[in-house]
Amino acid sequence: MSEFKAKPEELAEKINYKTPHKSWMDPYIEIKHGSFNYSGIPKNVEYLKLPNPRKWQPTEDEWQLPENWKEIILTGLKERLDKFRSLKIFMDICVRCGACSDKCHFFIGSGDPKNMPVLRAELLRSVYRNDFTTAGKVFGKFAGGRELTIDVIKEWFYYFYQCTQCRRCSVFCPYGIDTAEVTILVRELLNLIGINIDWVITPVANSFRTGNHLGIQPHGFKDSIDFAVEELETIIGIKVDAPINKKGAEVLFVTPSADYFGDPHYFTLLGYLALFHEIGLDYTWTTFASEGGNFGSFVSHDLMKSLNTKIYSEAKRLGVKWILGGECGHMWRVLHQYMDTLNGPADFLEEPVSPITGTKYENAKSTKMVHICEFTADLIKNNKIQLDKSRNDKLKVTFHDSCNPSRAMGLIEEPRYVINNTCNHFYEMPENTIKEQTFCCGSGAGLGTDENLEMRLRGGLPRANAVKFVNEKNGVNFLGCICAIDKATLPPLMDYWVPGVQVGGIHELVGNALVIKGEKERTTDLRGEPYVEKAKEEIETSTKE
Amino acid sequence: MNLFFSFSALVILILLAVIGVEAVKLEFLFGVIIPYVAIAFFLIGIIYKVIYWARSPVPFRITTTAGQQKSLPWIKNSKLESPNTTLGVIGRMLLEVLLFRSLFRNTKAELKKGPKLVYGSSRYLWLAALAFHWAFLIIVLRHFRYFSEPIPAFVPFLQNLDGFLQIGLPILYITNVLIVVALTYLFFRRLFDPKLKYFSLASDYFPLLLLLGIALTGILMRYFTKVDIVSVKEMAVGLFSFQPVVPEGIGVMFYLHLFLVSVLLAYFPFSKLMHFAGVFLSPTRNLANNNRMKRHVNPWNAPVRIHTYEEYEDEFRDVMKASGLPLEKE
Ligand code: HEM
Ligand code: SF4
Ligand code: SF4
């Protein structure tokens, strides 16, 4: 990890909510180390045919923008106003009531007033007012107008890459103003003049070419699935079948690439493999659409579409009936709210029906893609799988609702139902920090880099603090989540703020608890660690107390 | 600075009206021409703005869900927080518009030593906003007793309701107290909460001051300076029937009140006050969460550059073959 050294208490103590003397209207930013991301590398910017590939860094004075950058931005803004009613409405109707102001994890963790959602949006709104409204054209500054300058652009870069598009602000706004939507569109604008970050651009280029963010080629994909199958065999004593690119399978399974390369995602992958084996699902993996996530959605609507096409086109090529999707947050934002519109109609697929329970997924009848938690909850409800909860007894579990499943899907009870059926010790975090009010991990929307670590730890404070609460109160030691970005970024967050709390997926819990026909006597969980009878006893005595 | 600008603007407006009517005797201008111009601005401006918004499509269904989706039949769907039917959406919108549902959620985050974050409920904003808006609505409706002859039936009903305390003569209307108290709270909140003060613009103070001005001049007229109601009604009915008359002796307070209302009307379409219409068009609230059930069509859904399976297989055919993955073309 990077040079970030401040101790947790020190960092928290230094959070200062005092507002500066200087008006926010004067664009002034200091690109702080630990709080920004490096620029996209020219090779990948070029590969994606995005504008203005060049070597540059945000810390440099000269950003090497095209000469007519201002014209590009203003024309781009006009175009987006004409294409998105949301943008016009969000620009025009904010009353600056401040209800959203302390709802953003980045504001809570940094105290920087421009991280209040209202001011983040005002950074664009002031330019909109200046150039696109009558009041702004007549009264200029007095109507809240602000001229677009290079410094404003730099400020946009800094603050719209300190928004994880989590939409918490939108839940509290009396008009539903969604700063995430503003962020998405400002990032689009910035990309028009070649301002972007590598942690987004490189995964997008990889995904475009190889089908997944990590750039894993088809044989590499096969190797890692094969390896997982072997590893699972050592745990359960059964070699499961994991078909890849199999034509005519009933179901196509798509999940984030981190699941087969990342830790602790990997244990969730083992859970999927075990589950699909146990229920005898006729399914296939795919190398071409080997990424459920969509970092394109962190660049522009176009790139989101461009990457997303692979899922339907692969489903069509393989001739499956419907699609099942793994645990991931922003992936499900795209699948639930965009995919059908962008790349549908999926009339070559069938309305999804569970081959095991016969349940019709009425809620997915048009998009034809089902969330794994919906799928598993239905299996459990219909008693199609046997779960031994005690195998998760050493875990005291809490659940982090990922932003997108909760605020863009409403997938709230399904994972809880699965958790409650796979473990005996489940504790909710305080109500203002879960479900639709959940706090972001602080690293979503492409911000999960090492160079951005300080801002991530700050932005993750509200989440971590709520975990700390149940950790101290209930001894919680396992933070369950259904998002690949969470699985990657919550562990360092926990290490920093609440050491001793493990992070893992819900289907890891499923895999642990799942009683598989013909399995050998299982002595370890999916992490290869003993189930620990002793720990079980300890828990029993402690709950008696 | 922003406050100063708004305040000065209001003072100048008041002086304009007072001097205009008292010294220069421009009753016709202030009593007829300006109100007509203001109403024209108001109506045309609002229509223009709503058309301006409506001209842009809603490319994606980006509902913000604040409750359980409809999925499996045995999981209880939150019909108002995550509606999947039009009826549900209407319910959600009604809750927003009539009761300010989202604002009701408001909390205040505080960072204590430890670090320990706590989120206290914070409903004063909700309460004041609700009090102001309802009082404003009722007051506007009560005004119909001046605008139309015969007086619509709802007016006496509202008057009775509003005056049920039966205090004072003329009877004290509760809404008159509420609107002043609520506006004062909303105004001072902007001054005393450092966060709000930091981002408040002149256009945030101005409507509050203007509305306070309107409310106070109205109250002064009703309870203190008194006006000749018969002449006022004559004038109002004249305005609305396009046969304007300017009766004698109405008094400057009335012209001031009318002028400030005219300013409000004319200013309205150019300001954040348009939230009253915009809230109905907000896509995170007025769309159903039925995304996977029903396809949403984007009228400009443009083709994009894609990487096809054929291109992919062409690039990776050798390695795919070597690792035994099935191929389209050998
Ligand atoms: C459908 C109708 C309306 C809805 C749902 C609505 C809702 C809201 C809400 C939720 C707020 C934020 C709370 C606050 O800051 O006080 C607000 C503020 C405000 N509304 Fe409305 N409103 C509506 C109509 C109107 C109308 C017709 C006016 C006309 C004068 C108005 C004037 C204001 C003002 C001045 C504020 C700002 C208060 C402040 O600055 O603190 N609203 N409105
Ligand atoms: S809650 Fe909504 S209206 Fe209020 S300041 Fe925030 S974005 Fe503006
Ligand atoms: S979307 Fe999330 S990160 Fe962005 S401003 Fe709103 S609360 Fe903050």
Side-chain angles (χ1 to χ4, degrees):
Chain A
M1 232 165 264
S2 71
E3 331 94 79
F4 185 67
K5 290 217 180 63
K7 291 215 177 65
E9 304 78 44
E10 284 167 22
L11 183 69
E13 228 143 72
K14 273 192 294 188
I15 300 173
N16 175 2
Y17 297 108
K18 262 225 184 94
T19 45
H21 289 295
K22 221 173 152 91
S23 155
W24 66 268
M25 286 247 186
D26 306 324
Y28 168 81
I29 53 149
E30 184 196 343
I31 306 255
K32 286 197 192 122
H33 270 283
S35 301
F36 75 99
N37 296 277
Y38 296 141
S39 62
I41 59 172
K43 183 182 77 161
N44 288 332
V45 175
E46 213 166 333
Y47 178 75
L48 291 169
K49 298 204 178 2
L50 293 175
N52 200 13
R54 71 208 179 284
K55 255 180 107 125
W56 70 288
Q57 281 308 340
T59 39
E60 293 161 3
D61 282 339
E62 177 52 56
W63 283 19
Q64 307 167 58
L65 302 180
E67 226 161 79
N68 59 343
W69 63 267
K70 188 166 170 176
E71 185 193 330
I72 299 176
I73 294 282
L74 291 177
T75 325
L77 180 53
K78 166 90 178 61
E79 203 181 293
R80 279 156 189 79
L81 287 165
D82 290 340
K83 281 161 93 175
F84 293 86
R85 187 181 300 165
S86 52
L87 185 60
K88 278 185 178 169
I89 297 279
F90 296 165
M91 289 298 104
D92 279 330
I93 68 171
C94 171
V95 297
R96 284 164 296 281
C97 70
C100 59
S101 61
D102 60 355
K103 306 303 178 287
C104 178
H105 50 284
F106 283 120
F107 174 68
I108 296 175
S110 72
D112 184 339
K114 287 178 193 164
N115 271 326
M116 293 190 261
V118 48
L119 262 193
R120 195 186 311 286
E122 286 285 312
L123 298 179
L124 174 66
R125 221 177 259 130
S126 51
V127 171
Y128 166 78
R129 281 192 293 256
N130 194 62
D131 289 80
F132 294 89
T133 67
T134 320
K137 282 179 194 157
V138 179
F139 293 105
K141 223 180 132 184
F142 291 111
R146 199 162 68 132
E147 209 201 325
L148 181 60
T149 61
I150 293 269
D151 284 337
V152 171
I153 294 285
K154 292 188 175 180
E155 205 177 46
W156 284 2
F157 168 78
Y158 195 58
Y159 290 104
F160 287 103
Y161 282 94
Q162 281 179 23
C163 166
T164 43
Q165 307 178 3
C166 78
R167 311 178 95 209
R168 192 170 192 267
C169 46
S170 156
V171 167
F172 291 89
C173 172
Y175 318 117
I177 293 176
D178 180 10
T179 312
E181 180 84 347
V182 179
T183 297
I184 293 172
L185 291 167
V186 172
R187 288 193 187 182
E188 269 192 35
L189 291 176
L190 290 174
N191 266 283
L192 296 177
I193 52 175
I195 297 177
N196 41 41
I197 65 170
D198 194 49
W199 194 248
V200 170
I201 290 300
T202 293
V204 173
N206 284 340
S207 199
F208 194 81
R209 176 164 170 255
T210 66
N212 58 71
H213 292 153
L214 301 173
I216 297 158
Q217 300 189 3
H219 55 301
F221 178 87
K222 182 165 188 307
D223 286 349
S224 45
I225 297 292
D226 287 350
F227 186 74
V229 167
E230 280 168 32
E231 193 138 312
L232 186 63
E233 190 181 358
T234 63
I235 300 167
I236 65 170
I238 300 171
K239 188 164 173 150
V240 303
D241 198 22
I244 301 173
N245 297 353
K246 175 179 143 190
K247 284 200 175 173
E250 182 165 357
V251 174
L252 170 66
F253 183 61
V254 176
T255 201
S257 56
D259 284 1
Y260 48 88
F261 252 76
D263 176 355
H265 311 64
Y266 191 67
F267 311 112
T268 294
L269 173 77
L270 298 183
Y272 297 147
L273 290 171
L275 178 70
F276 298 158
H277 163 80
E278 174 59 15
I279 60 175
L281 186 69
D282 175 18
Y283 81 108
T284 179
W285 294 86
T286 157
T287 58
F288 177 61
S290 48
E291 178 63 66
N294 190 325
F295 272 37
S297 69
F298 305 147
V299 184
S300 66
H301 288 86
D302 280 357
L303 273 175
M304 169 183 0
K305 176 172 179 180
S306 175
L307 298 185
N308 179 257
T309 48
K310 296 192 184 197
I311 298 179
Y312 275 155
S313 75
E314 185 68 344
K316 193 170 184 178
R317 184 182 77 85
L318 296 174
V320 300
K321 288 188 183 157
W322 55 276
I323 312 167
L324 182 62
E327 297 180 0
C328 187
H330 79 285
M331 154 176 164
W332 273 100
R333 170 104 205 259
V334 176
L335 300 177
H336 185 74
Q337 297 202 320
Y338 294 94
M339 173 154 86
D340 207 348
T341 301
L342 289 172
N343 291 310
D347 42 16
F348 48 90
L349 296 173
E350 291 176 16
E351 291 182 16
V353 177
S354 168
I356 319 299
T357 64
T359 300
K360 270 192 176 171
Y361 299 101
E362 296 279 349
N363 65 321
K365 66 181 177 209
S366 174
T367 302
K368 285 142 181 138
M369 186 147 182
V370 175
H371 193 287
I372 186 79
C373 286
E374 297 165 347
F375 181 75
T376 306
D378 173 59
L379 290 173
I380 299 174
K381 183 76 183 174
N382 288 288
N383 292 317
K384 295 294 177 188
I385 52 178
Q386 205 193 330
L387 297 162
D388 177 0
K389 292 192 197 183
S390 71
R391 291 185 183 170
N392 282 318
D393 267 355
K394 71 172 174 186
L395 304 180
K396 295 203 168 184
V397 180
T398 191
F399 179 61
H400 160 69
D401 289 271
S402 309
C403 309
N404 288 299
S406 58
R407 285 186 284 261
M409 269 184 103
L411 185 95
I412 291 172
E413 295 305 330
E414 296 86 343
R416 287 180 166 73
Y417 183 76
V418 176
I419 295 171
N420 275 314
N421 279 285
T422 50
C423 70
N424 283 315
H425 310 288
F426 174 54
Y427 306 93
E428 290 278 15
M429 287 180 270
E431 72 171 331
N432 288 312
T433 68
I434 53 169
K435 302 189 178 174
E436 76 280 1
Q437 299 198 16
T438 189
F439 274 109
C440 185
C441 62
S443 305
L447 310 186
T449 63
D450 275 357
E451 66 266 21
N452 193 34
L453 186 65
E454 177 172 342
M455 196 39 84
R456 288 170 51 199
L457 294 174
R458 288 174 178 279
L461 172 62
R463 169 41 71 232
N465 209 251
V467 176
K468 193 167 160 210
F469 180 80
V470 282
N471 168 264
E472 285 167 2
K473 184 165 163 230
N474 310 104
V476 160
N477 57 12
F478 186 89
L479 176 59
C481 57
I482 46 170
C483 170
I485 294 180
D486 286 336
K487 287 170 200 160
T489 66
L490 288 175
L493 188 73
M494 291 300 113
D495 287 348
Y496 188 75
W497 294 110
V498 208
V501 176
Q502 269 185 337
V503 177
I506 299 312
H507 281 76
E508 177 182 345
L509 299 177
V510 173
N512 282 340
L514 187 69
V515 179
I516 303 167
K517 285 177 240 40
E519 69 185 343
K520 69 173 194 193
E521 197 197 332
R522 282 165 74 174
T523 51
T524 68
D525 59 18
L526 294 179
R527 299 196 181 201
E529 290 159 12
Y531 279 132
V532 198
E533 285 303 312
K534 214 169 80 219
K536 200 170 145 185
E537 279 154 27
E538 269 170 26
I539 287 163
E540 271 161 13
T541 47
S542 73
T543 44
K544 269 186 215 131
E545 274 162 20
Chain B
M1 180 61 204
N2 283 335
L3 175 62
F4 177 74
F5 181 75
S6 303
F7 194 72
S8 328
L10 188 71
V11 171
I12 292 171
L13 289 170
I14 292 175
L15 288 178
L16 267 181
V18 174
I19 295 170
V21 175
E22 285 284 88
V24 200
K25 302 283 174 218
L26 292 171
E27 276 100 344
F28 194 74
L29 177 68
F30 281 90
V32 178
I33 299 180
I34 291 179
Y36 273 141
V37 172
I39 294 173
F41 263 90
F42 180 73
L43 294 177
I44 298 170
I46 288 180
I47 294 170
Y48 179 86
K49 192 84 189 189
V50 171
I51 293 177
Y52 162 79
W53 287 334
R55 273 209 325 258
S56 297
V58 179
F60 302 104
R61 199 188 278 137
I62 55 166
T63 322
T64 302
T65 58
Q68 173 62 39
Q69 66 166 348
K70 180 175 161 50
S71 64
L72 299 162
W74 46 274
I75 294 180
K76 197 169 170 306
N77 162 226
S78 168
K79 292 198 173 60
L80 290 170
E81 306 283 20
S82 188
N84 68 86
T85 59
T86 309
L87 202 65
V89 170
I90 293 172
R92 187 181 200 192
M93 286 309 294
L94 285 177
L95 280 184
E96 289 293 2
V97 170
L98 301 178
L99 296 175
F100 301 175
R101 168 70 187 98
S102 293
L103 204 57
F104 187 69
R105 286 196 185 93
N106 198 25
T107 54
K108 185 170 161 33
E110 263 178 286
L111 180 61
K112 308 228 156 122
K113 263 207 158 357
K116 191 171 156 61
L117 276 164
V118 288
Y119 311 94
S121 84
S122 161
R123 302 236 162 93
Y124 288 114
L125 171 59
W126 172 79
L127 197 67
L130 208 62
F132 157 64
H133 283 86
W134 275 105
F136 184 80
L137 178 68
I138 292 170
I139 292 170
V140 169
L141 290 177
R142 278 206 276 96
H143 276 66
F144 275 82
R145 89 179 155 121
Y146 306 114
F147 307 154
S148 71
E149 190 57 60
I151 294 173
F154 64 84
V155 174
F157 170 74
L158 284 178
Q159 282 178 345
N160 288 337
L161 201 71
D162 204 351
F164 87 100
L165 287 181
Q166 304 276 350
I167 306 174
L169 210 91
I171 283 180
L172 178 77
Y173 287 134
I174 298 162
T175 48
N176 291 358
V177 179
L178 277 182
I179 199 168
V180 174
V181 172
L183 283 170
T184 311
Y185 171 78
L186 291 171
F187 178 72
F188 280 106
R189 155 177 188 273
R190 287 202 184 273
L191 291 186
F192 292 120
D193 181 330
K195 292 202 302 294
L196 274 146
K197 187 167 181 200
Y198 190 62
F199 59 68
S200 288
L201 300 171
S203 54
D204 296 319
Y205 297 113
F206 182 66
L208 289 172
L209 290 172
L210 186 61
L211 284 160
L212 261 177
I214 292 172
L216 291 175
T217 49
I219 289 169
L220 282 176
M221 246 188 318
R222 179 173 165 82
Y223 302 101
F224 303 101
T225 65
K226 310 280 159 126
V227 285
D228 177 3
I229 298 289
V230 180
S231 318
V232 168
K233 175 128 188 180
E234 198 186 333
M235 184 166 171
V237 172
L239 276 175
F240 278 89
S241 57
F242 294 100
Q243 284 154 352
V245 281
V246 183
E248 286 292 309
I250 293 189
V252 69
M253 193 55 79
F254 172 75
Y255 283 102
L256 185 53
H257 186 65
L258 183 63
F259 180 62
L260 293 182
V261 171
S262 303
V263 172
L264 178 70
L265 290 175
Y267 173 73
F268 206 97
F270 304 99
S271 71
K272 70 174 192 179
L273 299 181
M274 282 305 290
H275 68 268
F276 95 96
V279 61
F280 293 97
L281 297 185
S282 177
T284 60
R285 291 290 186 273
N286 73 5
L287 293 170
N289 177 28
N290 58 355
N291 292 59
R292 278 182 294 152
M293 294 173 219
K294 205 164 165 252
R295 179 160 190 256
H296 179 91
V297 177
N298 171 1
W300 51 259
N301 193 11
V304 294
R305 199 173 145 243
I306 57 169
H307 193 61
T308 62
Y309 179 81
E310 289 67 36
E311 289 166 312
Y312 169 84
E313 191 178 295
D314 284 346
E315 182 172 354
F316 296 114
R317 185 165 293 111
D318 294 343
V319 288
M320 288 175 84
K321 198 168 175 182
S323 63
L325 287 166
L327 292 169
E328 290 286 332
K329 278 193 281 188
E330 288 296 321

